[in-house]
Amino acid sequence: MALRSLVCRKSLGLASSSSFKLHFRGLQTISLPDLPYDYGALEPAISGEIMQLHHQKHHQTYVTNYNKAVEQLHHAMEKGDSSAVVKLQSAIKFNGGGHVNHSIFWKNLSPVSERGGESPHGNLGWAIDEHFGSLDALIQKMSTEGAALQGSGWVWFGLDKESKKLVVETTANQDPLVTKGPLVPLLGIDVWEHAYYLQYKNARPDYLKNIWKVMNWKYAGEVYDKEHS
Amino acid sequence: MVAAAAAATAANPLTCSLFPSQGLRGTTSGLQWTKRQCTRKGSALTVTAKFELKPPPYPMNALEPHMSKDTFEYHWGKHHRAYVNNLNKQIEGTELDDMSLDDVVLITYNKGDPLPAFNNAAQAWNHEFFWESMKPGGGGKPSGELLQLMERDFGSFDKFVGEFKSAAATQFGSGWAWLVYKANRLDVGNAVNPCPSEEDKKLVVVKSPNAVNPLVWDYYPLLTIDVWEHAYYLDFQNRRPDYISNFMERLVSWDAVSARLEVARARAAEREIEEARKRKEEEEGNFTDKEPAEIFIDGVADDSETD
């Protein structure tokens, strides 16, 4: 915990020194969000070592590289350099997507002591039964699709804002769920190898079996209620 | 257990290697290239042939401390093995069952709309090629023709290294970085390269996502580095650039890359001769077909006009 706050302060420091110049031009940088629990709080489902590297290194890198790319974009736009603007799109999508996705991921996990893994109640619970038959059927579907995803990416449980239907989708690399339509993410599971390799090695299905023990359905239910009404 | 399996497969005389460490240099026939096609074992009694998980050409701990035995045992013993096993299951009883791995990769790529077996086929190919791209005590600098071509096509060896490292570091997500020999044949059915020249044939650095392999772009792969996280996570965690530098400085087998270049050039030359022969045959064929066809059409046209 102490280490985490140390790094968070450090990252905030980095962000603020560069945001000084950027604010001057009206640009807003992003910074690494704090985790809502300790690194070790999701054990044994996800080890503290994984959580720490995942948050402090991987997520931090997306934040840093996104800020860099946005600053370059700003320069390119000021100069009217359209080819430079276009060239920056992939870095912005990848790093910005990495930040968006991980920010959701941290929130949709929760320690068992804070009701992680507890089945959804209320509107979302009913809607899941209606769309998928049962919660188990939804979990099965997401686990299967997550295991079958080639390479790096995410498996999502989302709400289609237009049809009001619940959907399961996958996205490649760091593509956020919005790239697949008018979808609001309720839960996202990171199936990049960095999310599980130190603990589960090649056994991605085992990771996908255990992550449900720390799933924050309460968070998913809150987002659902807000977006569905 | 993994080591025992490796030893058993290694002892099998039916297993062929793509680039045997001896006997390749100085030979220019295309035979070595096609040797990959016999990495499957047939039995006189059964019709089904299976692709085999070929062991790396050195012991699991031979690359330590630069690549740990632990990484190797998972990477070869679990990941590579799963690709081969799953491929065998997928193609059993299909028309792909008796083809070479190269052909399965090309066919299942399906011109960019991959069939289900593509990922396993290409990953089986990529991993075998990756193990053979490294050796204990590797790294350093290439020599001979390879070095000359690098200097010609990249400016210098260091510039090549810079380009290769950058490709490997910037591949978003899972994938591979490659050094390839590009013979630049434009054979797209309705188009031919109007001015082919020796200059078209050069070394190029490319990167590919997930399982994709430069064979599908008609390049000759010479060197690859796996940048899926499973390739380095146990040893380097998130530090992919350190893994890449370590690979270039301590692990690359330039002997293997030189040998592959030699085979690639020979294959490209053979292919050119073969294509020229076919073109000539077609031209001659067209010429003999053409005359009567024109007369016939003219004849019909004349008839209709007079009617």
Side-chain angles (χ1 to χ4, degrees):
Chain A
M1 188 68 198
L3 190 54
R4 187 179 96 210
S5 31
L6 187 72
V7 166
C8 287
R9 268 202 301 278
K10 199 178 150 206
S11 67
L12 281 172
L14 282 173
S16 58
S17 65
S18 58
S19 66
F20 178 75
K21 313 184 275 200
L22 295 173
H23 274 303
F24 192 67
R25 296 193 297 266
L27 255 184
Q28 191 73 47
T29 54
I30 55 169
S31 55
L32 185 69
D34 217 345
L35 279 194
Y37 37 78
D38 286 353
Y39 287 128
L42 304 181
E43 289 188 350
I46 303 175
S47 75
E49 190 187 7
I50 287 179
M51 290 303 291
Q52 191 170 347
L53 279 164
H54 202 169
H55 181 249
Q56 284 181 357
K57 303 291 183 183
H58 292 276
H59 192 166
Q60 179 61 60
T61 305
Y62 299 125
V63 167
T64 306
N65 290 339
Y66 172 83
N67 285 337
K68 256 189 232 165
V70 167
E71 190 179 353
Q72 286 168 358
L73 178 70
H74 187 75
H75 288 306
M77 286 171 72
E78 271 183 344
K79 282 194 284 178
D81 184 347
S82 55
S83 62
V85 169
V86 172
K87 205 177 162 209
L88 283 162
Q89 300 306 304
S90 59
I92 291 172
K93 183 179 181 189
F94 182 75
N95 293 296
H99 172 64
V100 168
N101 294 343
H102 285 89
S103 299
I104 296 166
F105 186 58
W106 309 136
K107 285 187 283 190
N108 67 216
L109 297 176
S110 177
V112 175
S113 61
E114 292 165 38
R115 301 175 59 195
E118 207 173 282
S119 303
H121 302 292
N123 298 331
L124 180 60
W126 291 113
I128 288 171
D129 287 346
E130 192 186 316
H131 282 90
F132 300 98
S134 68
L135 179 64
D136 282 348
L138 167 64
I139 288 175
Q140 183 63 44
K141 187 173 168 60
M142 284 184 75
S143 303
T144 306
E145 294 198 13
L149 190 143
Q150 259 297 308
S152 306
W154 292 75
V155 56
W156 300 95
F157 172 44
L159 170 69
D160 187 317
K161 278 177 95 166
E162 284 169 11
S163 68
K164 302 289 178 193
K165 281 196 172 138
L166 293 175
V167 294
V168 171
E169 271 288 355
T170 57
T171 56
N173 297 327
Q174 293 298 355
D175 292 359
L177 186 58
V178 288
T179 59
K180 289 284 176 103
L183 305 175
V184 181
L186 304 178
L187 296 175
I189 302 177
D190 189 344
V191 292
W192 279 60
E193 288 171 323
H194 66 231
Y196 60 85
Y197 209 79
L198 291 179
Q199 188 176 353
Y200 294 94
K201 314 295 193 305
N202 60 305
R204 191 194 284 180
D206 291 349
Y207 158 71
L208 288 170
K209 192 173 147 204
N210 286 342
I211 198 165
W212 300 105
K213 295 173 186 163
V214 289
M215 200 53 82
N216 188 352
W217 288 104
K218 187 167 162 281
Y219 168 81
E222 285 164 9
V223 179
Y224 178 78
D225 286 340
K226 192 174 134 233
E227 298 288 344
H228 191 261
S229 51
Chain B
M1 189 185 146
V2 167
T9 327
N12 189 326
L14 286 171
T15 310
C16 304
S17 62
L18 176 60
F19 294 122
S21 51
Q22 75 289 350
L24 181 62
R25 301 196 116 194
T27 57
T28 49
S29 93
L31 185 63
Q32 281 73 21
W33 196 271
T34 52
K35 269 194 173 181
R36 171 174 289 278
Q37 298 175 2
C38 48
T39 53
R40 39 165 92 204
K41 194 164 46 174
S43 151
L45 298 172
T46 52
V47 191
T48 15
K50 293 247 180 207
F51 287 109
E52 275 187 70
L53 177 68
K54 193 182 152 197
Y58 37 77
M60 295 283 152
N61 60 358
L63 302 184
E64 288 201 323
H66 311 298
M67 187 175 283
S68 70
K69 185 171 173 239
D70 207 20
T71 290
F72 231 103
E73 284 179 347
Y74 279 104
H75 201 174
W76 178 80
K78 302 283 186 185
H79 292 275
H80 189 177
R81 184 184 303 277
Y83 293 124
V84 173
N85 288 348
N86 291 335
L87 174 65
N88 283 330
K89 276 184 222 155
Q90 276 173 311
I91 65 172
E92 191 174 5
T94 71
E95 59 189 2
L96 300 170
D97 205 0
D98 57 355
M99 290 180 187
S100 71
L101 187 54
D102 292 47
D103 286 345
V104 175
V105 169
L106 287 172
I107 290 169
T108 57
Y109 184 65
N110 194 26
K111 294 176 180 165
D113 182 18
L115 304 175
F118 175 74
N119 284 321
N120 288 315
Q123 285 293 71
W125 197 103
N126 296 346
H127 281 91
E128 192 175 318
F129 195 79
F130 178 55
W131 310 135
E132 290 166 356
S133 295
M134 298 183 285
K135 67 170 190 182
K141 206 173 164 179
S143 56
E145 194 181 29
L146 177 60
L147 182 61
Q148 283 169 15
L149 282 185
M150 280 178 172
E151 286 168 349
R152 187 193 76 181
D153 296 336
F154 299 102
S156 68
F157 173 67
D158 287 345
K159 281 188 182 158
F160 154 73
V161 170
E163 205 172 306
F164 189 82
K165 281 184 175 177
S166 162
T170 59
Q171 167 56 38
F172 292 133
S174 305
W176 302 77
W178 307 82
L179 171 67
V180 302
Y181 181 63
K182 177 175 177 278
N184 205 35
R185 292 165 310 273
L186 196 63
D187 48 1
V188 202
N190 60 350
V192 279
N193 190 346
C195 320
S197 77
E198 280 301 301
E199 303 287 298
D200 296 334
K201 297 179 197 152
K202 56 184 176 184
L203 299 178
V204 182
V205 167
V206 291
K207 49 187 173 179
S208 66
N210 295 337
V212 176
N213 158 316
L215 286 179
V216 305
W217 301 317
D218 204 11
Y219 297 159
Y220 296 96
L222 304 178
L223 170 69
T224 195
I225 181 171
D226 188 346
V227 293
W228 282 58
E229 286 175 321
H230 66 231
Y232 58 87
Y233 214 80
L234 296 180
D235 293 339
F236 293 92
Q237 291 85 50
N238 61 304
R239 292 172 287 115
R240 191 195 284 189
D242 292 353
Y243 157 72
I244 297 166
S245 299
N246 183 65
F247 174 87
M248 293 305 283
E249 284 152 28
R250 318 254 179 223
L251 296 175
V252 174
S253 170
W254 291 118
D255 297 342
V257 180
S258 286
R260 287 162 174 171
L261 174 64
E262 197 173 334
V263 175
R265 286 169 70 96
R267 289 263 300 174
E270 271 176 22
R271 199 163 136 170
E272 251 175 32
I273 294 168
E274 180 63 13
E275 278 164 7
R277 190 184 61 76
K278 272 191 196 155
R279 251 198 322 276
K280 204 176 157 200
E281 267 180 17
E282 269 169 32
E283 277 164 16
E284 284 169 354
N286 281 350
F287 183 73
T288 45
D289 288 350
K290 223 173 180 176
E291 295 300 317
E294 273 182 3
I295 289 164
F296 176 71
I297 290 166
D298 286 345
V300 171
D302 287 348
D303 285 347
S304 63
E305 267 173 20
T306 44
D307 285 344

